[in-house]
Structure formats: C-alpha cells, structure tokens
Amino acid sequence: MKQIAIFASGAGSNATKIIEHFAALKKNSDAAGTIALIVCNKPDAGVLKVAAANQVPALVIEKEKFFRGNAYIDELNAANIDFIVLAGFLWKIPDTLIKAFHRKMINIHPALLPKYGGKGMYGQFVHEAVITNKDKESGITIHYVDEVYDHGQIILQATCLVADDDTAATLANKVQALEHRHFPAAVALLATL
Ligand code: GAR
C-alpha cells in the first residue's frame, strides 16, 4: 500500500476528489494506496478543513524549515510517505525533496504545458493569459516534478475548448471539471506502479 501525501495551498477541491476516489476504491478492496497526509503551507487554507472532515492527518509547514531546513523529509519519512501529489501547492519544491522523491512526485497544472507554466503562473493568472491570447483550447497537465518549475515529464493531458465568450472564470470551471475527472484516477493508477 502506497502512503500518499497531498500537498496543497488552497481550497482543496482536488484533494477532496482524490480522497473520495480512494475511499471508494477502498470499499471495493481495490485501493493501491492511502491518502495518509495533507501538507499545507497556509494555516487558514480550505484544504485543512478537507483534511479534518475526512480524518486525514495534516501537517502545516513553515517557510524557513521547508527551504533552509530538511524540507520536512524526516516528517514525511516518519509518516512512511512514498508518493507525493501536488494539488494546487504554490511553493516551489526544494531540490532536496525532489531528489528524495524522484519519479514519486506529481503535479497538476491548469493549462497545457509547456504553455503557461513557470513562476507566477497559477490559478486565475493562467486562465487570464489563455483568454488574453485568444487560444482556442486549454486543459490540464499532470506531470512528474523535476527541478525546473512545471517542467517534468508529462503523464497526462486533457483538453477543453475555449469559446469566444469564455472568461477566465468560465474557463476555470471547465478546467476544474477536467481536473476532477482525471486527477483522482491518475493518482490511483500511479499508486499501482
Ligand atoms: C488547481 O486548479 C490546480 O491546477 C492549480 O491550483 C488549483 C487548486 O485548486 N495549480 C496550479 O496553478 C499550480 N501551478 P484546489 O485547491 O481546489 O484543488
């Protein structure tokens, strides 16, 4: 059984979907992993309520220790974490942690990488850029995490059309629907590897 940690900084809608998916798999004795830990850098983030509501232990992390200390590797090891899912986690992952979880850490990005990736490209900013550029399609990218922001090997992309009258907000809804449809199943599949 893989022990999976979800790192998130925001509302936690993807974390919710992943937790629900693994709970459903567990009911059918079909789960290859457990969502064992939620890691969050914002004490007031919605994802911490998601953790509490689903009885998943949570770890609130601090900048200094994450970037200049051991990047919480000791704590992750103590919880036997062997796979990390970034679901709206907005701090760059330190190289030490990336090395410790080589090919065992994935991220979801709300656009079709390599377009609209990199520092500052998250959430609404991504969708605004897509609308401004009048792109005809957008979507999601699930990828392994490497030392370069939004760069690691792509595992899965799914697309949606951008209509002429779409706004950043309506596009965000389309992209979020894709995330919720594909991310939990992708995590479950990767947990079997
Ligand atoms: C998701 O849309 C995810 O793709 C995005 O943050 C959102 C988190 O939503 N991540 C990035 O932009 C990373 N660059 P959630 O908290 O509701 O799951």
Side-chain angles (χ1 to χ4, degrees), residues 32-149:
T34 304
I35 308 306
L37 187 65
I38 299 282
V39 176
C40 180
N41 61 307
K42 281 194 191 156
D44 58 347
V47 71
L48 291 173
K49 293 199 178 74
V50 171
N54 290 280
Q55 288 94 45
V56 178
L59 174 66
V60 178
I61 61 173
E62 284 161 14
K63 209 168 205 164
E64 184 68 19
K65 182 166 173 180
F66 193 56
F67 291 108
R68 286 191 235 291
N70 75 340
Y72 288 87
I73 289 172
D74 295 343
E75 287 80 355
L76 294 169
N77 287 341
N80 295 315
I81 299 301
D82 38 30
F83 197 80
I84 294 176
V85 175
L86 308 183
F89 186 70
L90 299 182
W91 281 354
K92 185 161 186 333
I93 304 296
D95 287 1
T96 43
L97 187 53
I98 292 174
K99 284 199 178 75
F101 284 85
H102 177 69
R103 303 278 290 183
K104 290 176 182 163
M105 190 187 310
I106 62 168
N107 178 45
I108 190 158
H109 188 76
L112 298 171
L113 292 174
K115 292 177 94 173
Y116 307 111
K119 198 168 163 47
M121 271 297 173
Y122 59 88
Q124 207 65 8
F125 299 109
V126 173
H127 306 306
E128 281 164 7
V130 171
I131 295 290
T132 301
N133 288 343
K134 300 191 187 316
D135 285 7
K136 295 290 175 213
E137 65 169 15
S138 190
I140 61 166
T141 304
I142 297 169
H143 64 94
Y144 286 108
V145 175
D146 71 8
E147 282 82 356
V148 183
Y149 237 118

Side-chain angles (χ1 to χ4, degrees), residues 161-173:
L161 295 178
V162 183
D164 290 342
D165 60 353
D166 264 329
T167 62
T170 59
L171 178 58
N173 288 337

